Amino acid sequence: MPASQPDAEPVLQVRDLRVEFPLRRQRKTLKAVNGVSFDVHRGETFGVIGESGSGKTTLGRTLVGLIAPNGGQLLQGGTDPATLSRRALREHRRDFQIMFQDPNAALNPRMRIIDSVMEPLEIGRQGDRTSNREAALQAMARVGLPPEFAQRYPHQLSGGQKQRVIIARTLTLKPRLIVCDEVVAALDVSIRGEVLNLFADLQREYGLTYVFITHDLSVVSHVSDRIAVMYLGCLMELGPADTLAEQPLHPYTQALLSAEPIALPLSMRRQAQIELKGEIPSPVDPPSGCAFRTRCLHATERCAAQRPAWEERRPGHWVACHHPLA
Ligand SMILES: Nc1ncnc2c1ncn2[C@@H]1O[C@H](COP(=O)(O)OP(=O)(O)O)[C@@H](O)[C@H]1O
Ligand SMILES: [Mg+2]
């Protein structure tokens, strides 16, 4: 991965971002994203790791404008999308794309591959059909899909090939940022590496920025420049991928790392297993103070009374914890 450029204007600036879902029957609100702050720099891969239900997908959808936040601020390339006219917003949104785990859900089974790849260009009413077709074929070639795939249907392709179709389709829009939400989770382990390498190649070639969301620490550790650790809608820790793995500051990060089996690089493996006590609490009734305190070995009264501040304890290494490990 290329070095990120922290001095350039961040692609995303996120401040105290909140997303809530009203649960009408229970007359409560579910805080799926509960006040998170971070920047994503141009050209980097920003990993987001967390257990299922921690709010990763909701965060990703919000970052690309599919969900409007309930609070806080989101700047995309320095622009607050809420200030744009409808027309300007349509243009602006093309720059911020998202891909999901299941390529089947994103592909119309009755459409030929070429038509699926061209679709975003046709919807955007860009260019004529011939030039769009040409652009689509080029994008397909770039992701390793030979031209004879153009006339096929999704059911004739493997999972990895379908995910390549989605990548090609996204590339035709020439986005600045792609949120990749569990994009290799559904793929056979044997082809994950290939697809991850393709993402890396495309990043170098097109200067892309990625937010790489996964519950799988071995995936995120291989591709990310920086990693953010999410728990119950909150960020627990954020830092350079190697420092975070070797010297985690948050007990939750430490527990995640210790739970990971052999797939991890040597530097990330821990001797001692630290077990996570109990279940993840419900985001409808999250614990007071620190969200993690009910499962934390280091928790004290203070952790129940007061939400820990989001602090930069080492350069570029942030943590929200009353009792950090260093
Ligand atoms: N549209 C929705 N309505 C109500 N609750 C939702 C909705 N989408 C997600 N949630 C809830 O928000 C929480 C976070 O979900 P999600 O963002 O999918 O987490 P993750 O991707 O980390 O598994 C979960 O408790 C989930 O049930
Ligand atoms: Mg998810």
Side-chain angles (χ1 to χ4, degrees), residues 1 43-47 203 209-212 223-227:
M1 301 273 149
E44 79 168 330
T45 297
F46 184 89
Q203 180 171 54
T209 305
Y210 296 135
V211 172
F212 218 96
V223 300
S224 304
D225 297 300
R226 293 189 298 149
I227 298 177

Side-chain angles (χ1 to χ4, degrees), residues 56-57 181-182:
K56 305 180 299 297
T57 294
D181 187 359
E182 308 276 10

Side-chain angles (χ1 to χ4, degrees), residues 19-23 28-33 53 58 70 282-285:
V19 182
E20 297 174 355
F21 296 114
L23 302 176
K28 288 185 170 171
T29 46
L30 185 154
K31 294 177 176 169
V33 178
T58 305
N70 296 86
S282 158
V284 181
D285 291 301

